[in-house]
């Protein structure tokens, strides 16, 4: 089972299959503004919705911390356009 975790010190949401990191959604932080600039998932794990779960986790963490997200990664931008519930954290 794939576990999605928020790793604040590494500035990312990450997907793990056991001990192996198989995906991430990385951001740069400027105070309360996070720029989500890169999302990737190991191709072996493609088609499982992992990338969407990574974005969801990043959004959850931003809400919890009162941060806003600037989606510069094309995948994150697409998720923000598709999921209206993400609009509350969009900068």
């Amino acid at each position: 089972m794939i576990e999605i975790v928020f790793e604040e010190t590494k500035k990312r949401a990450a997907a793990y299959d056991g001990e192996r990191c198989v995906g991430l959604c990385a951001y740069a932080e400027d105070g309360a503004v996070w720029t989500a600039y890169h999302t990737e998932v190991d191709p072996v794990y493609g088609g499982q919705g992992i990338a969407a779960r990574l974005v969801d986790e990043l959004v959850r963490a931003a809400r919890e911390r009162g941060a806003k997200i600037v989606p510069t990664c094309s995948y994150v931008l697409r998720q923000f356009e598709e999921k209206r519930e993400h609009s509350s954290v969009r900068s």
Side-chain angles (χ1 to χ4, degrees):
M1 182 170 161
I2 302 301
E3 180 183 11
I4 306 295
V5 295
F6 181 68
E7 299 177 329
E8 190 166 12
T9 59
K10 292 183 179 181
K11 305 292 184 233
R12 69 185 190 179
Y16 286 91
D17 185 0
E19 296 293 314
R20 183 170 179 247
C21 182
V22 298
L24 60 90
C25 181
Y27 68 96
E29 183 178 5
D30 184 8
V33 178
W34 298 356
T35 301
Y37 65 87
H38 182 69
T39 304
E40 71 176 86
V41 174
D42 183 317
V44 172
Y45 293 84
Q48 297 181 36
I50 295 170
R53 291 175 57 202
L54 289 166
V55 175
D56 291 346
E57 179 62 16
L58 188 65
V59 167
R60 183 205 61 74
R63 272 196 194 106
E64 188 177 277
R65 290 159 178 78
K68 296 291 185 178
I69 297 174
V70 177
T72 60
C73 166
S74 61
Y75 183 80
V76 176
L77 179 59
R78 194 164 53 250
Q79 287 295 298
F80 271 58
E81 290 170 349
E82 291 176 6
K83 294 183 177 180
R84 298 258 185 236
E85 64 269 24
H86 290 348
S87 64
S88 65
V89 297
R90 187 169 183 179
S91 179

Coordinates of all heavy atoms in Angstrom, one line a residue:
M1 N 0.8 -1.2 0.0 CA 0.0 0.0 0.0 C 0.9 1.2 0.0 O 1.9 1.3 0.7 CB -0.9 0.0 1.2 CG -1.8 1.2 1.3 SD -3.0 0.9 2.6 CE -3.6 2.6 2.8
I2 N 0.5 2.2 -0.8 CA 1.3 3.5 -0.9 C 0.9 4.4 0.2 O -0.3 4.7 0.4 CB 1.0 4.1 -2.3 CG1 1.4 3.2 -3.4 CG2 1.8 5.4 -2.4 CD1 2.9 2.7 -3.4
E3 N 1.9 4.9 0.9 CA 1.6 5.9 2.0 C 2.0 7.3 1.5 O 3.1 7.4 1.0 CB 2.4 5.5 3.2 CG 2.2 6.4 4.4 CD 3.0 6.1 5.6 OE1 4.0 5.3 5.5 OE2 2.8 6.7 6.7
I4 N 1.1 8.2 1.7 CA 1.4 9.6 1.3 C 1.7 10.4 2.6 O 0.9 10.4 3.6 CB 0.2 10.3 0.6 CG1 -0.2 9.4 -0.6 CG2 0.6 11.7 0.2 CD1 0.8 9.3 -1.7
V5 N 2.8 11.1 2.7 CA 3.2 11.9 3.9 C 3.7 13.2 3.5 O 4.2 13.5 2.4 CB 4.3 11.1 4.7 CG1 3.8 9.8 5.2 CG2 5.6 10.9 3.9
F6 N 3.5 14.2 4.4 CA 4.0 15.5 4.2 C 5.3 15.6 4.9 O 5.4 15.3 6.1 CB 3.0 16.6 4.8 CG 3.4 18.0 4.6 CD1 3.5 18.5 3.3 CD2 3.8 18.8 5.7 CE1 4.0 19.8 3.1 CE2 4.2 20.1 5.5 CZ 4.3 20.6 4.3
E7 N 6.3 16.0 4.2 CA 7.7 16.1 4.8 C 8.1 17.6 4.8 O 8.7 18.1 3.8 CB 8.7 15.3 4.0 CG 8.3 13.8 4.1 CD 9.2 12.9 3.3 OE1 9.8 13.4 2.2 OE2 9.4 11.8 3.7
E8 N 7.7 18.3 5.8 CA 7.9 19.8 5.9 C 9.4 20.1 5.8 O 9.7 21.1 5.1 CB 7.3 20.3 7.2 CG 7.3 21.8 7.3 CD 6.4 22.3 8.4 OE1 6.0 21.5 9.3 OE2 6.1 23.5 8.4
T9 N 10.3 19.4 6.4 CA 11.7 19.8 6.3 C 12.3 19.6 4.9 O 13.3 20.2 4.6 CB 12.5 18.9 7.3 OG1 12.4 17.5 7.0 CG2 12.1 19.2 8.8
K10 N 11.7 18.7 4.1 CA 12.1 18.4 2.8 C 11.3 19.2 1.8 O 11.5 19.2 0.5 CB 12.1 17.0 2.4 CG 13.1 16.1 3.2 CD 13.0 14.7 2.8 CE 14.0 13.9 3.6 NZ 14.1 12.5 3.2
K11 N 10.3 20.0 2.2 CA 9.5 20.8 1.4 C 8.8 20.0 0.3 O 8.9 20.3 -0.9 CB 10.2 22.0 0.8 CG 11.0 22.9 1.8 CD 10.0 23.6 2.6 CE 10.7 24.6 3.6 NZ 10.4 24.4 5.0
R12 N 8.1 19.0 0.7 CA 7.4 18.1 -0.2 C 6.3 17.2 0.4 O 6.4 17.0 1.6 CB 8.4 17.2 -1.0 CG 9.0 16.1 -0.1 CD 10.1 15.4 -0.8 NE 10.5 14.2 0.0 CZ 11.4 13.3 -0.5 NH1 12.0 13.5 -1.6 NH2 11.7 12.3 0.3
A13 N 5.5 16.8 -0.4 CA 4.6 15.6 -0.1 C 5.2 14.5 -0.8 O 5.7 14.6 -1.9 CB 3.2 15.9 -0.5
A14 N 5.3 13.3 -0.1 CA 6.0 12.2 -0.7 C 5.2 10.9 -0.6 O 4.4 10.8 0.3 CB 7.4 12.0 -0.1
A15 N 5.4 10.1 -1.6 CA 4.7 8.8 -1.7 C 5.7 7.7 -1.4 O 6.8 7.7 -2.0 CB 4.0 8.6 -3.0
Y16 N 5.4 6.8 -0.5 CA 6.3 5.7 -0.2 C 5.6 4.3 -0.4 O 4.5 4.1 0.0 CB 6.7 5.8 1.3 CG 7.7 6.9 1.5 CD1 7.3 8.2 1.9 CD2 9.1 6.7 1.4 CE1 8.2 9.2 2.1 CE2 10.0 7.7 1.6 CZ 9.6 9.0 1.9 OH 10.5 10.0 2.1
D17 N 6.4 3.4 -0.9 CA 6.1 2.0 -1.0 C 7.1 1.4 -0.1 O 8.2 1.1 -0.5 CB 6.2 1.5 -2.4 CG 5.7 0.1 -2.6 OD1 5.3 -0.5 -1.6 OD2 5.8 -0.5 -3.7
G18 N 6.7 1.1 1.2 CA 7.6 0.7 2.2 C 8.6 1.8 2.5 O 8.2 2.9 2.8
E19 N 9.9 1.5 2.3 CA 10.9 2.5 2.6 C 11.2 3.3 1.3 O 12.0 4.3 1.4 CB 12.2 1.8 3.1 CG 12.0 1.2 4.5 CD 11.7 2.1 5.6 OE1 12.4 3.2 5.7 OE2 10.8 1.9 6.4
R20 N 10.7 2.9 0.2 CA 11.1 3.5 -1.1 C 10.2 4.7 -1.5 O 9.0 4.5 -1.5 CB 11.1 2.5 -2.2 CG 11.5 2.9 -3.5 CD 11.7 1.8 -4.5 NE 12.1 2.3 -5.8 CZ 11.3 2.3 -6.9 NH1 10.1 1.7 -6.8 NH2 11.7 2.8 -8.0
C21 N 10.8 5.9 -1.7 CA 10.1 7.0 -2.2 C 9.8 6.8 -3.7 O 10.7 6.7 -4.5 CB 10.9 8.3 -2.0 SG 10.0 9.8 -2.5
V22 N 8.5 6.8 -4.0 CA 8.1 6.5 -5.4 C 7.4 7.7 -6.1 O 7.1 7.7 -7.2 CB 7.2 5.3 -5.5 CG1 7.9 4.0 -5.0 CG2 5.9 5.5 -4.7
G23 N 7.3 8.8 -5.3 CA 6.7 10.0 -5.9 C 6.8 11.2 -5.0 O 7.0 11.0 -3.8
L24 N 6.7 12.4 -5.5 CA 6.8 13.6 -4.7 C 6.1 14.8 -5.4 O 6.0 14.8 -6.6 CB 8.3 13.9 -4.4 CG 9.2 14.2 -5.5 CD1 9.2 15.7 -5.9 CD2 10.6 13.8 -5.2
C25 N 5.7 15.7 -4.6 CA 5.2 17.0 -5.0 C 6.0 18.0 -4.2 O 5.8 18.2 -3.0 CB 3.7 17.1 -4.8 SG 3.0 18.7 -5.4
A26 N 7.0 18.7 -4.9 CA 7.9 19.6 -4.2 C 7.4 21.1 -4.3 O 6.8 21.5 -5.3 CB 9.3 19.5 -4.8
Y27 N 7.8 21.8 -3.3 CA 7.4 23.2 -3.2 C 8.6 24.1 -2.7 O 9.4 23.5 -1.9 CB 6.2 23.5 -2.5 CG 6.3 23.2 -1.0 CD1 6.5 24.3 -0.1 CD2 6.2 22.0 -0.4 CE1 6.6 24.1 1.3 CE2 6.3 21.7 0.9 CZ 6.5 22.8 1.8 OH 6.6 22.6 3.2
A28 N 8.6 25.3 -3.0 CA 9.5 26.3 -2.4 C 8.7 27.2 -1.5 O 7.6 27.5 -1.8 CB 10.2 27.1 -3.5
E29 N 9.2 27.5 -0.4 CA 8.5 28.3 0.6 C 9.0 29.7 0.7 O 10.2 29.9 0.9 CB 8.6 27.6 2.0 CG 7.8 28.3 3.1 CD 7.9 27.5 4.4 OE1 8.6 26.5 4.5 OE2 7.2 27.9 5.3
D30 N 8.1 30.7 0.7 CA 8.5 32.1 0.9 C 7.4 32.6 1.9 O 6.4 33.1 1.6 CB 8.4 32.9 -0.4 CG 8.9 34.3 -0.2 OD1 9.3 34.7 0.9 OD2 8.7 35.1 -1.1
G31 N 7.7 32.4 3.2 CA 6.8 32.7 4.2 C 5.5 31.8 4.1 O 5.6 30.6 4.1
A32 N 4.4 32.5 4.0 CA 3.1 31.7 3.9 C 2.7 31.4 2.5 O 1.6 31.1 2.2 CB 2.0 32.5 4.7
V33 N 3.6 31.6 1.5 CA 3.4 31.3 0.1 C 4.3 30.2 -0.3 O 5.5 30.3 -0.2 CB 3.6 32.6 -0.8 CG1 3.3 32.2 -2.2 CG2 2.7 33.7 -0.3
W34 N 3.6 29.1 -0.8 CA 4.4 27.9 -1.2 C 4.2 27.9 -2.8 O 3.1 27.9 -3.3 CB 3.8 26.7 -0.7 CG 3.9 26.5 0.8 CD1 4.5 27.4 1.7 CD2 3.3 25.5 1.6 NE1 4.3 27.0 3.0 CE2 3.6 25.8 3.0 CE3 2.6 24.3 1.3 CZ2 3.3 25.0 4.0 CZ3 2.3 23.5 2.4 CH2 2.6 23.8 3.7
T35 N 5.3 27.7 -3.5 CA 5.3 27.6 -4.9 C 5.5 26.1 -5.2 O 6.6 25.6 -5.0 CB 6.4 28.4 -5.6 OG1 6.1 29.8 -5.3 CG2 6.3 28.3 -7.1
A36 N 4.4 25.4 -5.7 CA 4.5 24.0 -6.0 C 5.1 23.9 -7.4 O 4.4 24.3 -8.4 CB 3.1 23.4 -6.0
Y37 N 6.3 23.5 -7.6 CA 7.0 23.6 -8.8 C 7.3 22.2 -9.5 O 7.7 22.2 -10.7 CB 8.3 24.3 -8.6 CG 9.3 23.7 -7.7 CD1 10.2 22.7 -8.2 CD2 9.4 24.0 -6.4 CE1 11.1 22.1 -7.4 CE2 10.3 23.3 -5.5 CZ 11.1 22.4 -6.1 OH 12.1 21.8 -5.2
H38 N 7.1 21.1 -8.8 CA 7.4 19.8 -9.4 C 6.7 18.7 -8.8 O 6.6 18.6 -7.6 CB 8.9 19.6 -9.3 CG 9.4 18.3 -9.9 ND1 9.4 18.1 -11.3 CD2 9.8 17.1 -9.4 CE1 9.9 16.9 -11.6 NE2 10.1 16.3 -10.5
T39 N 6.1 17.9 -9.7 CA 5.4 16.6 -9.2 C 5.9 15.5 -10.1 O 6.0 15.6 -11.3 CB 3.9 16.8 -9.4 OG1 3.4 17.9 -8.6 CG2 3.2 15.5 -8.9
E40 N 6.3 14.4 -9.5 CA 6.7 13.2 -10.3 C 6.3 11.9 -9.5 O 6.3 11.9 -8.3 CB 8.1 13.2 -10.6 CG 9.1 13.0 -9.4 CD 10.5 12.9 -9.8 OE1 11.2 14.0 -9.9 OE2 11.0 11.8 -10.0
V41 N 6.0 10.9 -10.3 CA 5.8 9.6 -9.8 C 6.5 8.6 -10.6 O 6.6 8.7 -11.9 CB 4.3 9.2 -9.8 CG1 4.0 7.8 -9.4 CG2 3.5 10.2 -8.9
D42 N 7.2 7.6 -10.0 CA 7.9 6.6 -10.7 C 6.9 6.0 -11.7 O 5.8 5.6 -11.3 CB 8.4 5.5 -9.7 CG 9.2 4.4 -10.3 OD1 8.9 3.9 -11.4 OD2 10.2 4.0 -9.7
P43 N 7.4 5.8 -13.0 CA 6.5 5.3 -14.0 C 5.9 3.9 -13.7 O 4.8 3.6 -14.1 CB 7.4 5.2 -15.2 CG 8.4 6.2 -15.0 CD 8.6 6.3 -13.5
V44 N 6.6 3.1 -12.9 CA 6.1 1.8 -12.5 C 4.8 1.9 -11.7 O 4.0 1.0 -11.7 CB 7.2 1.1 -11.7 CG1 6.7 -0.2 -11.0 CG2 8.4 0.8 -12.5
Y45 N 4.6 3.1 -11.0 CA 3.5 3.3 -10.2 C 2.4 4.2 -10.8 O 1.5 4.6 -10.2 CB 3.9 3.9 -8.9 CG 4.7 3.0 -8.0 CD1 6.1 2.9 -8.2 CD2 4.2 2.2 -7.0 CE1 6.9 2.0 -7.5 CE2 4.9 1.4 -6.3 CZ 6.3 1.2 -6.5 OH 7.0 0.4 -5.8
G46 N 2.6 4.4 -12.1 CA 1.7 5.3 -12.9 C 0.2 4.7 -12.9 O 0.0 3.5 -12.8
G47 N -0.7 5.6 -13.1 CA -2.1 5.2 -13.2 C -2.8 4.8 -11.9 O -3.9 4.3 -12.0
Q48 N -2.2 5.1 -10.8 CA -2.8 4.7 -9.5 C -3.3 5.9 -8.8 O -3.8 5.8 -7.6 CB -1.8 4.0 -8.6 CG -1.3 2.7 -9.2 CD -0.3 2.0 -8.3 OE1 -0.4 2.0 -7.1 NE2 0.7 1.4 -8.9
G49 N -3.3 7.1 -9.4 CA -3.8 8.3 -8.7 C -2.8 8.8 -7.6 O -3.2 9.7 -6.8
I50 N -1.6 8.4 -7.7 CA -0.6 8.9 -6.6 C -0.3 10.3 -6.7 O -0.3 11.1 -5.7 CB 0.7 8.0 -6.7 CG1 0.4 6.6 -6.3 CG2 1.7 8.6 -5.8 CD1 1.5 5.6 -6.6
A51 N -0.2 10.8 -7.9 CA 0.1 12.3 -8.1 C -1.0 13.1 -7.5 O -0.7 14.1 -6.9 CB 0.4 12.6 -9.6
A52 N -2.2 12.8 -7.8 CA -3.4 13.5 -7.3 C -3.4 13.5 -5.7 O -3.6 14.5 -5.1 CB -4.7 13.0 -7.8
R53 N -3.0 12.4 -5.2 CA -3.0 12.2 -3.7 C -1.9 13.1 -3.1 O -2.0 13.6 -2.0 CB -2.8 10.8 -3.3 CG -4.0 9.9 -3.6 CD -3.8 8.4 -3.3 NE -3.4 8.2 -1.9 CZ -2.7 7.1 -1.5 NH1 -2.4 6.2 -2.4 NH2 -2.4 7.0 -0.3
L54 N -0.8 13.2 -3.9 CA 0.3 14.1 -3.4 C -0.1 15.5 -3.4 O 0.2 16.2 -2.4 CB 1.5 13.9 -4.3 CG 2.3 12.6 -4.2 CD1 3.2 12.4 -5.4 CD2 3.1 12.5 -2.9
V55 N -0.8 16.0 -4.4 CA -1.3 17.4 -4.4 C -2.3 17.6 -3.3 O -2.3 18.6 -2.6 CB -1.9 17.7 -5.8 CG1 -2.6 19.1 -5.8 CG2 -0.8 17.6 -6.9
D56 N -3.2 16.6 -3.1 CA -4.2 16.7 -2.0 C -3.5 16.8 -0.7 O -4.0 17.6 0.2 CB -5.1 15.4 -2.0 CG -6.1 15.4 -3.2 OD1 -6.2 16.4 -3.9 OD2 -6.6 14.3 -3.4
E57 N -2.4 16.1 -0.5 CA -1.7 16.2 0.8 C -1.0 17.5 1.0 O -1.0 18.1 2.1 CB -0.7 15.1 0.9 CG 0.1 15.1 2.2 CD -0.7 14.9 3.5 OE1 -1.8 14.5 3.4 OE2 -0.1 15.2 4.5
L58 N -0.5 18.1 -0.1 CA 0.1 19.4 -0.1 C -0.9 20.5 0.3 O -0.7 21.3 1.1 CB 0.8 19.7 -1.4 CG 1.7 21.0 -1.4 CD1 2.9 20.8 -0.4 CD2 2.2 21.3 -2.8
V59 N -2.1 20.3 -0.3 CA -3.2 21.3 0.0 C -3.6 21.1 1.4 O -3.8 22.2 2.1 CB -4.4 21.0 -1.0 CG1 -5.6 21.8 -0.6 CG2 -4.0 21.5 -2.4
R60 N -3.7 19.9 1.9 CA -4.1 19.7 3.3 C -3.2 20.4 4.2 O -3.5 21.1 5.2 CB -4.2 18.2 3.6 CG -4.7 17.9 5.0 CD -4.2 16.6 5.5 NE -2.8 16.5 5.6 CZ -2.0 17.0 6.5 NH1 -2.5 17.8 7.5 NH2 -0.7 16.9 6.5
A61 N -1.9 20.2 4.0 CA -0.8 20.8 4.8 C -0.8 22.3 4.8 O -0.7 23.0 5.8 CB 0.5 20.2 4.4
A62 N -1.1 22.8 3.6 CA -1.1 24.3 3.4 C -2.3 24.9 4.2 O -2.2 25.9 4.9 CB -1.2 24.7 2.0
R63 N -3.5 24.2 4.1 CA -4.6 24.7 4.9 C -4.3 24.7 6.4 O -4.7 25.6 7.1 CB -5.8 23.7 4.6 CG -6.6 24.1 3.5 CD -8.0 23.4 3.5 NE -8.6 23.6 2.2 CZ -8.7 22.7 1.3 NH1 -8.3 21.4 1.5 NH2 -9.2 22.9 0.1
E64 N -3.7 23.6 6.8 CA -3.4 23.4 8.3 C -2.5 24.5 8.8 O -2.6 24.9 9.9 CB -2.8 22.0 8.5 CG -2.6 21.6 9.9 CD -2.0 20.2 10.0 OE1 -2.8 19.3 9.9 OE2 -0.8 20.1 10.1
R65 N -1.6 25.0 7.9 CA -0.6 26.0 8.3 C -0.9 27.4 7.9 O -0.2 28.3 8.1 CB 0.8 25.6 7.7 CG 1.3 24.3 8.4 CD 2.3 23.6 7.5 NE 2.9 22.4 8.2 CZ 2.3 21.3 8.3 NH1 1.1 21.1 7.8 NH2 2.9 20.3 8.9
G66 N -2.1 27.6 7.2 CA -2.5 28.9 6.8 C -1.7 29.4 5.6 O -1.6 30.6 5.5
A67 N -1.2 28.5 4.8 CA -0.3 28.9 3.7 C -1.2 28.9 2.4 O -2.2 28.3 2.3 CB 0.8 28.0 3.5
K68 N -0.7 29.7 1.4 CA -1.3 29.7 0.1 C -0.3 29.0 -0.9 O 0.9 29.1 -0.7 CB -1.6 31.1 -0.4 CG -2.6 31.9 0.5 CD -4.0 31.3 0.3 CE -5.0 32.1 1.0 NZ -6.3 31.6 0.8
I69 N -0.9 28.4 -2.0 CA 0.0 27.7 -3.0 C -0.1 28.4 -4.3 O -1.2 28.7 -4.8 CB -0.5 26.3 -3.1 CG1 -0.3 25.5 -1.8 CG2 0.3 25.6 -4.2 CD1 -0.8 24.1 -1.8
V70 N 1.0 28.6 -4.9 CA 1.2 29.1 -6.3 C 1.5 27.9 -7.1 O 2.6 27.3 -7.0 CB 2.3 30.2 -6.4 CG1 2.4 30.6 -7.9 CG2 2.0 31.4 -5.5
P71 N 0.6 27.4 -8.0 CA 0.8 26.2 -8.7 C 1.6 26.5 -10.0 O 1.0 26.8 -11.1 CB -0.6 25.7 -9.0 CG -1.4 26.9 -9.0 CD -0.8 27.9 -8.1
T72 N 2.9 26.4 -10.0 CA 3.7 26.6 -11.2 C 3.9 25.2 -12.0 O 4.2 25.2 -13.2 CB 5.0 27.3 -11.0 OG1 5.8 26.5 -10.1 CG2 4.8 28.7 -10.4
C73 N 3.8 24.1 -11.3 CA 3.9 22.8 -11.9 C 2.7 22.6 -12.7 O 1.5 22.8 -12.2 CB 4.0 21.7 -10.8 SG 3.8 20.0 -11.3
S74 N 2.8 22.1 -13.9 CA 1.6 22.0 -14.8 C 0.6 21.0 -14.2 O -0.6 21.2 -14.3 CB 2.0 21.6 -16.2 OG 2.7 20.3 -16.2
Y75 N 1.1 19.9 -13.6 CA 0.2 19.0 -13.0 C -0.6 19.6 -11.8 O -1.8 19.4 -11.7 CB 0.9 17.7 -12.5 CG -0.1 16.7 -12.0 CD1 -0.8 15.9 -12.9 CD2 -0.4 16.6 -10.7 CE1 -1.8 15.0 -12.5 CE2 -1.3 15.6 -10.2 CZ -2.0 14.9 -11.1 OH -2.9 14.0 -10.7
V76 N 0.1 20.3 -10.9 CA -0.6 20.9 -9.8 C -1.6 21.9 -10.3 O -2.7 22.0 -9.8 CB 0.4 21.6 -8.9 CG1 -0.3 22.3 -7.7 CG2 1.4 20.5 -8.3
L77 N -1.2 22.7 -11.3 CA -2.2 23.7 -11.9 C -3.4 23.0 -12.4 O -4.5 23.4 -12.1 CB -1.5 24.5 -13.0 CG -2.3 25.5 -13.7 CD1 -2.8 26.6 -12.7 CD2 -1.5 26.2 -14.8
R78 N -3.3 21.9 -13.1 CA -4.4 21.1 -13.6 C -5.3 20.6 -12.5 O -6.5 20.7 -12.5 CB -3.9 20.0 -14.5 CG -5.0 19.4 -15.3 CD -4.5 18.5 -16.5 NE -3.5 17.5 -16.0 CZ -2.2 17.5 -16.3 NH1 -1.7 18.5 -17.0 NH2 -1.4 16.6 -15.9
Q79 N -4.7 20.1 -11.4 CA -5.5 19.7 -10.3 C -6.2 20.8 -9.6 O -7.4 20.7 -9.2 CB -4.5 19.0 -9.2 CG -4.0 17.7 -9.6 CD -5.1 16.7 -9.7 OE1 -5.8 16.4 -8.7 NE2 -5.3 16.1 -10.9
F80 N -5.6 22.0 -9.5 CA -6.3 23.2 -9.0 C -7.5 23.6 -9.9 O -8.5 24.0 -9.3 CB -5.3 24.3 -8.8 CG -4.6 24.3 -7.5 CD1 -3.9 23.3 -7.1 CD2 -4.7 25.4 -6.6 CE1 -3.2 23.2 -5.9 CE2 -4.1 25.4 -5.4 CZ -3.3 24.3 -5.0
E81 N -7.3 23.4 -11.2 CA -8.4 23.8 -12.1 C -9.6 22.8 -12.0 O -10.7 23.1 -12.1 CB -7.9 23.9 -13.5 CG -7.0 25.1 -13.7 CD -6.3 25.1 -15.0 OE1 -6.3 24.1 -15.8 OE2 -5.7 26.1 -15.4
E82 N -9.2 21.5 -11.7 CA -10.2 20.4 -11.7 C -10.9 20.3 -10.4 O -12.1 19.9 -10.3 CB -9.6 19.1 -12.1 CG -9.2 19.0 -13.5 CD -8.4 17.7 -13.8 OE1 -8.4 16.8 -13.0 OE2 -7.9 17.6 -15.0
K83 N -10.2 20.6 -9.3 CA -10.8 20.5 -7.9 C -11.1 21.8 -7.3 O -10.2 22.4 -6.7 CB -9.8 19.6 -7.1 CG -9.7 18.2 -7.6 CD -8.8 17.4 -6.6 CE -8.6 16.0 -7.1 NZ -7.8 15.2 -6.2
R84 N -12.3 22.2 -7.3 CA -12.7 23.5 -6.8 C -12.3 23.7 -5.3 O -12.1 24.7 -4.8 CB -14.2 23.7 -6.9 CG -14.6 23.8 -8.4 CD -14.9 25.2 -8.8 NE -15.4 25.2 -10.1 CZ -14.8 25.9 -11.1 NH1 -13.8 26.6 -10.9 NH2 -15.4 25.9 -12.3
E85 N -12.3 22.5 -4.6 CA -12.0 22.6 -3.1 C -10.6 23.1 -2.8 O -10.3 23.5 -1.7 CB -12.3 21.2 -2.5 CG -11.4 20.1 -2.9 CD -12.0 19.3 -4.1 OE1 -12.8 19.8 -4.9 OE2 -11.6 18.1 -4.3
H86 N -9.7 23.0 -3.9 CA -8.4 23.5 -3.7 C -8.3 25.0 -3.8 O -7.2 25.6 -3.4 CB -7.4 22.9 -4.7 CG -7.2 21.4 -4.5 ND1 -7.5 20.7 -3.4 CD2 -6.6 20.5 -5.3 CE1 -7.2 19.5 -3.5 NE2 -6.6 19.3 -4.7
S87 N -9.3 25.7 -4.3 CA -9.2 27.1 -4.5 C -9.0 27.9 -3.2 O -8.4 29.0 -3.3 CB -10.5 27.6 -5.2 OG -11.6 27.5 -4.4
S88 N -9.3 27.4 -2.1 CA -9.2 28.1 -0.8 C -7.7 28.4 -0.5 O -7.4 29.3 0.3 CB -9.9 27.4 0.3 OG -9.3 26.2 0.6
V89 N -6.8 27.6 -1.0 CA -5.4 27.8 -0.7 C -4.6 28.3 -1.9 O -3.4 28.5 -1.8 CB -4.7 26.4 -0.2 CG1 -5.3 26.0 1.1 CG2 -4.7 25.4 -1.3
R90 N -5.3 28.6 -3.0 CA -4.6 29.1 -4.2 C -4.2 30.6 -4.0 O -5.0 31.4 -3.6 CB -5.4 28.9 -5.5 CG -4.6 29.3 -6.7 CD -5.3 28.9 -7.9 NE -4.5 29.2 -9.1 CZ -4.8 28.9 -10.3 NH1 -6.0 28.3 -10.6 NH2 -4.1 29.2 -11.3
S91 N -3.0 30.9 -4.3 CA -2.5 32.3 -4.2 C -2.6 33.0 -5.6 O -2.5 32.4 -6.6 CB -1.0 32.3 -3.8 OG -0.6 33.6 -3.7

